Amino acid sequence: MKTISLFLSLLVLTPMAGHSQDTDTARVTNRTSDRFHGEIYMEANHGFKHDEPVKNVWDFPHVVFSAEADLGGGWSVATELEYERFHEDGRWNNVFRDNFTINQLYVGKSISKEWQLKLGIQPLPIGTVNRGAEAMTIYDAASEAAIVPMTWHEAAVGLSWQHDAWLCQVIVPFIADLPLKRSHLFGLVGRVDYEGLLPGLQLGLSGFCGSANYGMLQDAAPEDVVCLDGMAIAALDWQYEDGGWLASGSAILSSEQKARTVGCELGYDVMQLFTPLCSFRPFVRFDGIYADITANQYTVGAHFLPFSGVSTQKGKSLLPKFLSPLCFKAQWAVRRLCGSRTLHRWDIGVGYTVEIP
């Protein structure tokens, strides 16, 4: 299905490339300058699981390539490709199709200053992580990953409206197949975001209703999700970032077995108190999972960017700018399974970002 969706998306994009008028339009991700922007994020992680038969976990390489281009005339295109290779259970996963995914590949059209249409493979923004706000933990938030696919993307048609502090989205995922009569819609996604309550605070309400027999709900859903023709998911999430503080949280409810999860995290860049030349952000996180298996996870960790402030206030570079995106991560997690056992795990990682151009 992904191959067919990709083929249809490319078929749509091909005739658009010729329209390159110099018109002031909204970018897919609200960028107002540069006709093209790309980014490559690379990281390597190592984990150690206590009380497990196979203790060591490696994640290498993990590469994410994202790009977006303004084609002019209100048209734009965006893509995000991800490759992640794991070493678990004593062996490397070398199957390419299991390691590679197309998170985004869509064409956008700015109908007006407030309205935009998207067609192609795009995220379904249910919860914090799926809307693009990564958790501070090295891997996806445990609470959200237990109830919805990470990162949830489907071939879909999306319509968004943005005005002042409001952003509203309606996305209709579909299955594209040949012959076309076998193609069909299988759900509806809605999301509303509001940023006008406090500076730095974003509130979001999202939901999905439809069939779990198609797309990532069938292929990549957590093990305790049973595919149903009728399924509903609702999520409330928030994020706050200001003055060195970074906090976020979510609560998700699924009609499948009335599963529900909650998660929240809080971090502070302590170097705000001393020097802007580097960044050190300790954080704490709680994840609660209440389904067939009840589990609570407590995580403490930190992000360290040793060269994040490579320039002085006068704009003179103290160190080469290519050092600025280097980031080190470390965390310790305790996961308590109700009526069973307690699991312990620590992880360390290093990440680096390259911007194009």
Side-chain angles (χ1 to χ4, degrees):
M1 292 300 181
K2 290 183 179 179
T3 304
I4 296 174
S5 299
L6 172 60
F7 171 79
L8 293 179
S9 299
L10 290 173
L11 189 64
V12 171
L13 296 180
T14 302
M16 304 302 180
H19 299 281
S20 171
Q21 302 173 11
D22 189 10
T23 306
D24 293 333
T25 58
R27 296 292 301 276
V28 172
T29 56
N30 298 325
R31 293 178 61 89
T32 56
S33 62
D34 297 342
R35 301 297 294 271
F36 173 84
H37 178 263
E39 187 175 276
I40 301 175
Y41 175 72
M42 301 167 285
E43 70 175 15
N45 302 312
H46 172 65
F48 184 85
K49 300 183 290 186
H50 292 255
D51 304 322
E52 293 289 327
V54 181
K55 301 183 184 300
N56 292 308
V57 176
W58 288 93
D59 178 9
F60 176 81
H62 185 186
V63 181
V64 180
F65 168 76
S66 59
E68 50 195 281
D70 183 352
L71 304 180
W75 293 98
S76 54
V77 63
T79 187
E80 182 179 282
L81 312 177
E82 183 173 3
Y83 181 85
E84 185 172 17
R85 183 167 171 253
F86 281 99
H87 183 273
E88 291 183 301
D89 300 325
R91 62 183 180 85
W92 287 100
N93 182 6
N94 292 318
V95 180
F96 181 81
R97 67 170 179 265
D98 293 336
N99 300 334
F100 176 78
T101 183
I102 302 173
N103 293 329
Q104 299 182 37
L105 180 57
Y106 63 82
V107 62
K109 169 60 177 175
S110 294
I111 303 172
S112 67
K113 184 178 179 180
E114 297 177 335
W115 292 91
Q116 186 178 65
L117 184 67
K118 296 178 182 178
L119 174 62
I121 301 174
Q122 55 191 286
L124 301 190
I126 307 296
T128 304
V129 175
N130 282 323
R131 78 168 177 84
E134 296 182 359
M136 282 183 275
T137 51
I138 290 178
Y139 294 105
D140 294 325
S143 56
E144 296 194 4
I147 201 168
V148 293
M150 303 271 114
T151 301
W152 197 358
H153 56 269
E154 306 285 359
V157 178
L159 182 65
S160 63
W161 174 81
Q162 185 170 12
H163 180 73
D164 294 335
W166 292 94
L167 173 61
C168 301
Q169 302 177 69
V170 176
I171 302 173
V172 182
F174 61 84
I175 294 298
D177 205 348
L178 294 175
L180 292 178
K181 64 180 181 180
R182 294 195 306 204
S183 302
H184 59 276
L185 311 178
F186 66 91
L188 178 67
V189 174
R191 182 177 178 91
V192 177
D193 288 290
Y194 180 67
E195 298 182 347
L197 189 61
L198 291 174
L201 177 64
Q202 178 175 346
L203 301 174
L205 181 65
S206 57
F208 166 85
C209 61
S211 174
N213 283 309
Y214 305 97
M216 288 188 67
L217 273 176
Q218 181 189 49
D219 299 335
E223 294 180 358
D224 59 346
V225 173
V226 179
C227 292
L228 301 172
D229 284 331
M231 186 176 186
I233 299 173
L236 173 67
D237 61 81
W238 58 274
Q239 183 177 27
Y240 175 78
E241 185 173 7
D242 188 48
W245 290 98
L246 179 59
S248 66
S250 67
I252 305 179
L253 175 65
S254 173
S255 63
E256 168 57 24
Q257 301 176 356
K258 296 183 179 179
R260 59 196 187 280
T261 66
V262 294
C264 57
E265 60 184 14
L266 175 66
Y268 179 69
D269 185 0
V270 297
M271 300 311 294
Q272 296 265 332
L273 304 174
F274 305 103
T275 174
L277 297 182
C278 62
S279 174
F280 181 69
R281 190 193 305 274
F283 70 89
V284 294
R285 180 176 178 88
F286 168 76
D287 292 282
I289 303 166
Y290 312 104
D292 285 345
I293 299 178
T294 299
N296 293 323
Q297 180 168 306
Y298 306 87
T299 306
V300 295
H303 292 185
F304 178 48
L305 285 78
F307 311 112
S308 60
V310 296
S311 298
T312 65
Q313 293 181 353
K314 295 181 180 180
K316 295 181 179 180
S317 178
L318 299 177
L319 293 170
K321 289 187 177 181
F322 70 83
L323 294 175
S324 180
L326 186 64
C327 178
F328 297 93
K329 306 175 184 180
Q331 67 183 45
W332 168 263
V334 177
R335 189 181 182 100
R336 295 177 178 173
L337 303 176
C338 182
S340 181
R341 56 179 178 158
T342 300
L343 305 177
H344 304 266
R345 173 171 172 166
W346 61 259
D347 292 272
I348 57 174
V350 57
Y352 188 78
T353 302
V354 177
E355 292 192 5
I356 308 170

